[in-house]
Structure formats: C-alpha cells, structure tokens
Amino acid sequence: MSDTNTRRVISVIVMNESSVLARVTSMFAARGYNIESLTVAPIPNSDKSHITIETQGNARVMEQITKQLHKLIPVYKVIEHEEMVEKEMVLVKFPIAENLSDIASLASAYNGGIVNVGKEMVVAQVADEPRRVKHFIEAAERYNPCEIVRGGVVAIER
Amino acid sequence: MQMSGAQMVCEAIIAEGVKTVFGYPGGAIMHVYDEIYKQDGFEHILTRHEQAAVHAADGYARATGEVGVAMVTSGPGFTNAVTGLATAYMDSIPLVVISGQVPLSLIGTDGFQEIDAVGISRPCTKHNFLVRSLEELPRILKEAFYLARSGRPGPILVDIPKDITVDIGEFNYPDSVHIPSYKPTYKGNNRQIEKAVEAIKKAKKPLLYIGGGAVLSNAYKLIRELAEKTQIPAVETLMARGVMGAKNPLLLGMLGMHGNYASNMAMSETDLIISLGARFDDRVTGKLSEFAKYADIIHVDIDPANIAKLVDVDYPIVGDVSTVLKKMLPLLDDVNTARYQAWRDILKRYDELHPQSYVDSDEVIKPQWAIERLGELVGEDAIITSDVGQHQMWAAQHYPFDRPRQWINSGGLGTMGFGLPAAIGAKRAYPEKTVINITGDGSILMNVQELITAAEYKVPVINVILNNHFLGMVRQWQTFFYEKRYSETDLSFQPNWKALAEACGGIGYDVTTKEEFDAALEDAIKQNKVCFMNVAVNRFENVLPMVPAGGALFNMMLPPKTEENGGEK
C-alpha cells in the first residue's frame, strides 16, 4: 500500500438532520485525519445534504476515512472522487487606489471579475479549479489585497 | 393510544421484551421514573452510581446476548454513565441508555444539570439521539434498539428533554425500522468465501484467530465444527475465551501480550490467518512490522472499517461470522486434515516446551492457583466476570472457560470497576448460576458501593479479591520497565474487607491458606449472599508470558520454571 500522502476530494451524502456535520467532523478529529477544506449544503428537493471534504493521507488513511464515514448511521454514500470537476470560489478585497483595470483583467483570466465597488474598496471574485484559484491569489498579491476569503472545494464526478 | 412521553419510554422497553432495567433517577428523568413506579412490565434495579448502572446493563447484555437497558438523569447522571458507554462501545455490546435532558426551552442556556450529552457521547456510542419532539420519540426508541443489536452491535444513547416526557401524544410503536443509510452486511461475498476456502486448502500452517465477534455472532458451534472438520489449530483473543472450550485439543490458548508461548509462536509462524471476528488490536499483534510476517490473512468481520485498518488483508470478507461459516463449512468437505499434521506437531512441541505455567507455593497462595482452583470447584457452571489488571489476565490464562458468554470482562477499554456491577447484571439474568467476580484490591474499590445494590436486591455475587496490596499490573510494569520505582502503586493501606462487606449487608472472608480458600468458597455459595473473599496472594507475582509493549509477539518474557531465589516476595 502506498505510503505517500496524496490530496483527495471526498463527497459525503448525508441525511440532512441536526448534528450530522458534527458527526462527520468529529470522526476526522477523533481519528487524527486532516480536513483541508469543507463545504456543505442541502441537496435540492431532497432530505439529504452534500458535504465536500478536501483531505490528504496515504492509501490506508483514505480507505479508513471512507469506511469510518460509511459507518456513521446518517451517511448514505461516500464518493472518493477520481474523475471529477472541482471548483473553488474566492473573494478578494483590494484598495480602490490599486490599478482596477489590471485587477479586472487578472480576475477575468481566472473566470471572474470585479463584483463590488465601494468608496474605498473593490471586491473581485474568482471561481475556478482549486489549483488555479491558488495561482490567482499569488498573482493578486502585488495589488495589496486586504482580505482573502476562500470558499472551499466543491466537486462533482464527471 | 394517547400517553405521555415517559409512558412511551416504558411501553417501548416492554415491547422490546426487556425484563430488567438498571438506573438511577434524578430531576430530568423523574417523569419516566414516575411511570416506572406505575408499571409492572419490567423490574428496575437501583444501582448506587450511574456508571454501575450502565456496567450492570452491559453485564446483562454480555451474559444473555440481548440488549441491556440503563437509565440515568441529565448532567452528572449522564457524565457518570459515559465510562459505561465507552466500555460497551469498545467491546461492541448492545445497550440502550436513556438519559434525561433539561427541557427543550433550556437547551443551550447552561441550565441546571445541563450537559451536551450527544456531543460528549458521540465518539463512544454507535449512534445517539437527542429527541426534539414527542412525535419522533417512538421511532427513535425503535431505532435505538434496532441499531444496538444489528450489524456490529454497540451502545445507543437516547437523550430525552424533560418536557417531552411530560407531553401527551399518540403512541404507535413501529413494527419495523427504515433507515436507508444503514444497511449492515451479514452475508459475506460468495466469491471471496470460495477464494478463502481455496487458500485454506493450499495452506500448510493455517491458524484460526478467534475474536469477540465470534461471541457476539453466537458462532461458537460453527467455529468448533470448522476446527473439528479441518483440524486447524486455534488461538483466542481475550474477548473470545470460551468459544473453543478449554478442553478442545485444537485450542492453543490466548494470544497477545499475555498469551501463551504456543499461541504467540503459532501467530508468528502461521502462513494463513483465518480471523473470525477479531480486529488485530495492538495488545494482540505486538509490533506490527513483525506480526505474522509469513501469513496471508483471511479476515471475516461484520465491520468493514476493521478490515485492513492495521494489517493488509488478502481475503477480506465483510459479513457476520455465523453466516459466513455456514457458507464456508460445506466447501471444506474435502479438506485434507493430514496436510496440517506437521504444523500441529510443531505447535504441540512449542506447548510442551513452554506450557502456561507458574510455580506454586506452600507458603503463600499464588493468584494463578486461586483461579485454577475456582475452575476446579465451580468450572463450567459459573459465570466469571472480572475487573482490569493482573487478576484479569490470570483469569483469562488459567480459568477453564467452556462456553462463550461465560467470561465477561472489559477488554477494549480496560475499565477498572467493571466487574462487580457486570456480575450483578449477569446474575440477574441467570439467578441460578454461580457468578464470580474475579477482582483485585485496586479495581474493586472503583465501584464498591454496588455491594449495597447486590445486598438489597439479593444478588449473591461472589467477589474473589486477589489481594496483593498493589495496583498489580502497574507495579509489574514498574518492576520490569521503571527500575522498581513503585510510584503510587502500593496499596498497603486497605479497608477491613470483611467489615466492609458486612457493613453493606454482605459477608466477608479473609483467606490466607488453600484450605481457607476452599472453605470460604463453599460457604459463600451456600450462604447465597453477596460476599468478599479477600485472598492474600503473593505480592510480587507477575503475569507471564509477557510481550513488552511495542515488542514483537515472539519475544516473550517467559514464566520461571522454578521459584527464583532472592526474588521479591
């Protein structure tokens, strides 16, 4: 079994009931597994919720994560994504004194744009693959961002 | 039918066929206790501590295989019960624990005796519920019993806010349970079973590795049949003692940290482990990288998360041990038992070389002698519970367990104070059987208040205290690994055991000789009262063999063949 730590994205379909998220996250905490990012929202027209967890570990850890998640009573399904479309959103706030057209072109290069302009700040939004979101944040550094909020990964199997 | 939430709790307990509930009342659960007072469908045993209530329900469940039920109040009542929940969780024991909670309107306000019970118990229950409306109470109670006993069993907590126990509503106890996200696998994959059978036929040194799951699955007859048919030798974990039966010639003994030489060597040299309801616990495997290096592994377990958790498995079979064995046995009709003869001979020689032994003494009672003597005097008729420590290991090593559910102990969590309340639960389930709690002078004090419970309800359990005036197992580690610095393990300051038992309505015996031991046990059985047999044993006796923690299973410290001169006494 491979000992190397790899990044994985897991979708967990759960009953949409109180404390279900706590059951999932406390399983990770209790067994010493890692959560890099987590998103959760109800699945439309159902009594279920979709949790997307970005995690990492070796093959044995990943297998245990999947099995331990399955073991939780309100968990319907665990999908270890292989062939997936994954997206992450980020909001970045810049001072209005920065070069707005540069920021707008940069954001549009990453499937985004300026979504709010205030008296002193502008807010840019980007939704793209997590790897590209990281690149965008690196590129945006030179425009002195004052706040960066990442949304966590959502994924869907192709 | 219209009734209060409290009545619904009682009706559900009756509908589930539960005859005995263990518990302790308090503010938030009082409405339920009011209904308990009015009904006559089950008896309630008032323990003197909530922890003991859960252990007693646990002992009841382990002895019978049925779901044990305990009831506690909110806040400290619940937190006291947590050790009991965790004990049952680690050994997969089916329990339903019902706790009171502050009224819904007070939840989250730090109300009097409020604690987040579902939050605290999440990691030590199979599942838990906070009831949020009267309408869902019947369904939750039904699901709680179903979840407790199905799949891999475990404890379920149902936390009920006080106002819900007062509210009146319609009670329809469901006939069946529908939890679409919960589908335990019992059957075992046919193809995998066939492959495993082929591996058994090809193996030269196969070994049955039997765990607590075999007890939970009530698989002992099938396992004995499997061993008989294939003539494959077997080792048992601490939790599986009694499955093969002590007299079975194919049983090598218990393996692990305090396993016997032949068992541990068998595990180290086998080429095929047939694991039946065992989970490769660290106390069994020793150093993982040295564990069963030459073996392929067949792992039968109802919990997929146990498979490949610690060791790589070649033939994973997710399923119930009994169900899987029923499929496996007919496929083994043509097995060549002679194939394993050489392997059996090797193991026999190992056992002759280093049998499970100790050096007896005429001057002082050896704890191992006391266990063996118990075995001779009450043997297969008795139910044996234990606390945790040296006495537990000696009991597991030396008592001739003849059937599963005869041996009741806290294996996974290792809970001192488990033995007496568990014995009360077992004795309540089987009043005609002699129930003996083998305990130590450390452990017994951790739930000693239950003497009162045993006396009040006339549950005559016999507590054999193997008294070495030490917290013995920790002392043993200090001897071996801490240069004999006996930090906080000397228990020389002791109660007057006889007087303590008598003060609580029981009987006490001080035993210092073998003759006194026999006489005390005979009298204890005759008197039919809860008792302490305070047996003075050799202070510095060690549990051997021993695999030091983290060491390889085959590197055992072995018992001396003669009394060592100059040893501590």
Side-chain angles (χ1 to χ4, degrees), chain B residues 476-486:
Chain B
Q476 173 171 339
W477 283 50
Q478 288 169 335
T479 301
F480 289 153
F481 313 119
Y482 294 85
E483 299 172 317
K484 301 187 182 175
R485 288 184 299 276
Y486 297 131

Side-chain angles (χ1 to χ4, degrees), chain B residues 24-29 48-52 54 71-84 99-102 111-117 120 159:
Chain B
Y24 204 105
I29 194 81
R48 265 34 176 202
H49 193 291
E50 288 90 349
Q51 182 193 345
V54 184
M71 201 172 286
V72 300
T73 192
S74 66
F78 163 75
T79 55
N80 279 343
V82 169
T83 302
S99 56
Q101 181 56 279
V102 299
F112 175 67
Q113 294 196 328
E114 182 190 357
I115 199 75
D116 175 11
I120 289 177
D159 197 34

Side-chain angles (χ1 to χ4, degrees), chain A residues 46-66:
Chain A
S46 82
D47 55 359
K48 297 174 187 148
S49 282
H50 188 127
I51 302 174
T52 314
I53 300 169
E54 183 189 5
T55 180
Q56 58 173 341
N58 61 29
R60 173 164 297 171
V61 167
M62 292 314 302
E63 189 178 332
Q64 271 298 306
I65 288 175
T66 310

Side-chain angles (χ1 to χ4, degrees), chain A residues 1 15 17-19 22-24 26 30-31 60 63-64 67-68 70-76, chain B residues 89 122 126-129 132 147 152 179-182 303-312:
Chain A
M1 224 176 255
M15 237 185 269
E17 60 176 26
S18 70
S19 86
R23 289 184 203 282
V24 169
S26 60
R31 294 185 184 267
R60 173 164 297 171
E63 189 178 332
Q64 271 298 306
K67 286 174 168 178
Q68 295 293 347
H70 261 300
K71 214 166 135 175
L72 300 174
I73 307 297
V75 169
Y76 283 93
Chain B
Y89 180 70
R122 202 173 290 130
K126 179 175 172 181
H127 193 57
N128 57 21
F129 298 92
R132 285 164 190 279
L147 287 169
R152 182 180 183 179
I179 311 172
S181 58
Y182 175 74
D303 181 0
N306 271 347
I307 294 177
K309 180 169 68 177
L310 291 152
V311 296
D312 293 339

Side-chain angles (χ1 to χ4, degrees), chain B residues 323-349:
Chain B
T323 317
V324 170
L325 285 185
K326 275 179 204 153
K327 289 188 188 176
M328 199 179 257
L329 278 164
L331 304 177
L332 284 161
D333 283 342
D334 59 342
V335 70
N336 176 11
T337 60
R339 188 177 170 82
Y340 318 128
Q341 185 59 48
W343 169 232
R344 288 191 296 268
D345 291 344
I346 292 170
L347 296 175
K348 187 155 174 267
R349 279 204 297 281

